[in-house]
Amino acid sequence: MGDKFNHIVEKVLSSVDFDVDGVVFEVTNDNLKSQMGANRKFHRWQIAFKENKDKAQVKVLSVTPQVGRTGKITPVAELEPTLLSGATIVRATGHHYGLVKEQGLGAGSVIELTRSGLVIPKINQVLKSAPVDIPASCPSCGEILEWESDFLMCLNHANCPAQVIGKMEYFFKILANNDGFGVATIEKLYAHGVRKVSQIYALNADDLSVMGFGEKTSVNLVNQLRRSSSEKIEDWRFLAAFGVVRMGTGNCENLLKSYELNTIFDLNLEQVSDIDGFAELTAKMIISGLRSIKSEFDLLSQYRFNLELTPLKKKLPDFSHSLGGKKIIFTGKMNSPREEMKKHAKSIGIQVVSSVSAKTDYLVIGEKVGKKKIESAEKLGVEILNELDYLALIK
Ligand SMILES: [Zn+2]
């Protein structure tokens, strides 16, 4: 039905020789018409279909692979120039190479483009396929590419020039408090042996001049570096700038709400996956990602970035438990370690107090509790539980 509908609309639109922005459909059967009737605003038997001008069918001239900082290869399609919502589009990217393989995104194919806020729009779908060209090796380093589900990847993360350059560029982009470290500068630094952000921070103006930067530019770049480390910056932004997979700004902030920056490298899998919002796979990737950036993190820490620490989220007691908010005293020798019992009680919202008063709800008694203590509690109307009663109650 959908295909037929599109076909009908196309046919109508192409049968007139003036610009129209849509088609109106009407029920032509008079009986049906009178049955459908009308409300105050419109006839129910008539509907307008507006052609979406923010969409266009575009012919692909060629597809070239582009290597991202994580090693993901992205198909970039050069297009027949197309006017789309006021801008002429000449290039679009596909989400992954699976699109090329599955849908036939090749030279001569026709794609559908939708208006988006991006400078380079994304390809929605391939309408007419063409023979495709899937690169066997990385266009940047020559490494044989591997498929990871729909993604074609260069796994030479440490030495692939495109990835090394992309990572350094990403750091300054995420920090967002400096100028001058765009791709052109980073590529020039790379050509002179710079491979890590920590090496960039170690440069002085003379080093930069030797690399071929102008005198003024060299001084300016060094000033930008100083500024980027002295200006106040959120710790989650700094951490996200390292570009670990699954450690974008949102996840970094979430992590640092639970643990301080100087403790995160010691976290274990359980601690990270216990944080709300982190599934186990994400937690695993965070742990291994943190391990991979540890030495670079330590090197950069020498430059004393002015980090604003994320306030730790206070763990609120869970008052959904039936004993939440109740005041309880533990006394006497228990079978379970007393400290453990107290800790658990607090975790479910119980207030553990140390002396009996009329406001106390329960006195939990172990062995060898003085008669006097029990009597005074009874007098105040405090309910008395033995350890087993209590354990049954909190279950
Ligand atoms: Zn590569």
Side-chain angles (χ1 to χ4, degrees), residues 74-269:
T74 302
V76 179
E78 305 291 333
L79 309 170
E80 225 167 44
T82 303
L83 192 69
L84 188 67
S85 31
T88 305
I89 309 295
V90 294
R91 194 170 293 130
T93 60
H95 188 46
H96 50 56
Y97 251 86
L99 185 85
V100 174
K101 193 169 70 168
E102 304 299 331
Q103 297 196 23
L105 175 66
S109 61
V110 176
I111 58 169
E112 182 184 79
L113 278 186
T114 309
R115 176 194 181 162
S116 74
L118 301 166
V119 181
I120 300 175
K122 295 266 183 212
I123 298 166
N124 294 335
Q125 58 168 327
V126 180
L127 301 171
K128 182 177 157 260
S129 62
V132 299
D133 181 13
I134 307 241
S137 57
C138 175
S140 179
C141 71
E143 180 94 352
I144 300 297
L145 298 177
E146 314 251 354
W147 285 98
E148 280 183 3
S149 69
D150 273 338
F151 297 91
L152 196 55
M153 305 285 298
C154 168
L155 299 180
N156 183 18
H157 302 311
N159 297 309
C160 177
Q163 294 182 53
V164 173
I165 289 167
K167 268 182 209 125
M168 291 194 280
E169 193 196 346
Y170 185 78
F171 183 88
F172 291 100
K173 192 175 117 193
I174 296 300
L175 235 52
N177 60 2
N178 58 89
D179 278 321
F181 290 91
V183 69
T185 302
I186 303 280
E187 275 176 354
K188 197 162 177 174
L189 292 170
Y190 182 89
H192 287 88
V194 174
R195 297 290 180 269
K196 286 176 177 176
V197 172
S198 57
Q199 292 174 304
I200 298 178
Y201 276 87
L203 296 171
N204 60 35
D206 288 343
D207 299 328
L208 289 162
S209 297
V210 170
M211 292 180 185
F213 290 97
E215 216 170 290
K216 220 173 164 185
T217 307
S218 300
V219 171
N220 183 40
L221 286 175
V222 170
N223 286 339
Q224 290 293 334
L225 290 175
R226 300 283 170 274
R227 195 176 91 182
S228 73
S229 61
S230 62
E231 253 182 32
K232 202 162 208 175
I233 182 175
E234 304 94 332
D235 57 356
W236 50 261
R237 187 185 295 281
F238 179 71
L239 185 59
F242 287 81
V244 171
V245 177
R246 302 277 175 112
M247 286 184 73
T249 50
N251 276 356
C252 284
E253 190 176 9
N254 195 24
L255 176 67
L256 294 173
K257 273 181 182 169
S258 295
Y259 294 98
E260 271 177 47
L261 185 64
N262 58 12
T263 67
I264 57 171
F265 291 98
D266 301 322
L267 295 177
N268 60 38
L269 183 60

Side-chain angles (χ1 to χ4, degrees), residues 334-354:
M334 308 282 177
N335 285 316
S336 331
R338 174 98 68 92
E339 282 314 306
E340 287 300 310
M341 289 181 78
K342 281 188 180 174
K343 216 162 141 189
H344 176 262
K346 285 178 189 164
S347 79
I348 59 172
I350 291 173
Q351 277 189 59
V352 180
V353 294
S354 53

Side-chain angles (χ1 to χ4, degrees), residues 25-39 42-46:
F25 294 96
E26 269 189 37
V27 173
T28 51
N29 181 310
D30 284 336
N31 280 336
L32 196 55
K33 248 184 180 174
S34 62
Q35 265 186 42
M36 291 173 89
N39 67 13
F42 51 83
H43 299 295
R44 291 206 178 91
W45 42 265
Q46 193 179 55

